[in-house]
Amino acid sequence: MINGFKEFIMRGNVIDLAVAVVIGTAFTALVTAIVTSIFNPLIASIFSAESLADSLVLPLRGGDGILFGAVIGALINFLLIAAVVYFAIVLPLNKLKEAQDRRRNAGIPAAVVVDPTTELDLLTEIRDLLAKNAAPAAPDQGPKH
């Protein structure tokens, strides 16, 4: 059971999800700051209120009221988040995917992947260069390992 839990935690999807949650939280704070600092005061000034939450209040008996301004603020917040996600993430990724599809259909590889050089590859290359520059060995002797 513990091994299964370890495998679950170590999956790339869980880590990607954790990063997405952290970035999403930071992004939400940024958008909320923009809405409350810029858009809410502008809209509230149109309705002569200190904040958007205090504007368009429909008073009810008992002192409470329906806060239409707060709903409008939440709607603006949602629209801003949706616009930024679309224009900053979805649209560029769609354009990239379209370009890759065009290259794939034209027979051009999307990216040339060069095999990464490992330490063993480097050591083998050094050995071969040293052997090439060394004095020629007797014909019946092979390289020493």
Side-chain angles (χ1 to χ4, degrees):
M1 185 165 88
I2 296 210
N3 286 335
F5 180 71
K6 269 191 195 175
E7 289 176 19
F8 171 73
I9 292 298
M10 297 307 291
R11 283 186 189 166
N13 294 344
V14 173
I15 294 170
D16 291 343
L17 180 60
V19 169
V21 167
V22 170
I23 295 296
T25 302
F27 183 71
T28 299
L30 174 65
V31 172
T32 301
I34 290 170
V35 169
T36 57
S37 301
I38 297 172
F39 291 105
N40 284 358
L42 289 173
I43 294 171
S45 69
I46 294 170
F47 297 105
S48 301
E50 286 187 29
S51 73
L52 192 56
D54 296 333
S55 63
L56 295 174
V57 176
L58 179 63
L60 298 174
R61 289 184 214 162
D64 290 334
I66 298 174
L67 306 174
F68 288 111
V71 174
I72 291 171
L75 178 64
I76 290 170
N77 195 1
F78 170 77
L79 291 174
L80 284 174
I81 291 171
V84 170
V85 167
Y86 178 75
F87 289 110
I89 298 172
V90 174
L91 188 64
L93 287 177
N94 285 345
K95 294 292 182 185
L96 179 65
K97 185 175 184 271
E98 289 172 9
Q100 286 177 338
D101 289 342
R102 280 194 306 271
R103 282 193 300 262
R104 193 174 299 122
N105 291 339
I108 301 170
V112 177
V113 178
V114 178
D115 290 334
T117 303
T118 64
E119 187 175 320
L120 181 60
D121 294 334
L122 290 173
L123 290 172
T124 303
E125 187 177 333
I126 291 169
R127 181 201 65 198
D128 293 343
L129 287 171
L130 287 172
K132 181 179 176 183
N133 293 332
D140 60 338
Q141 293 180 349
K144 294 180 182 177
H145 293 284

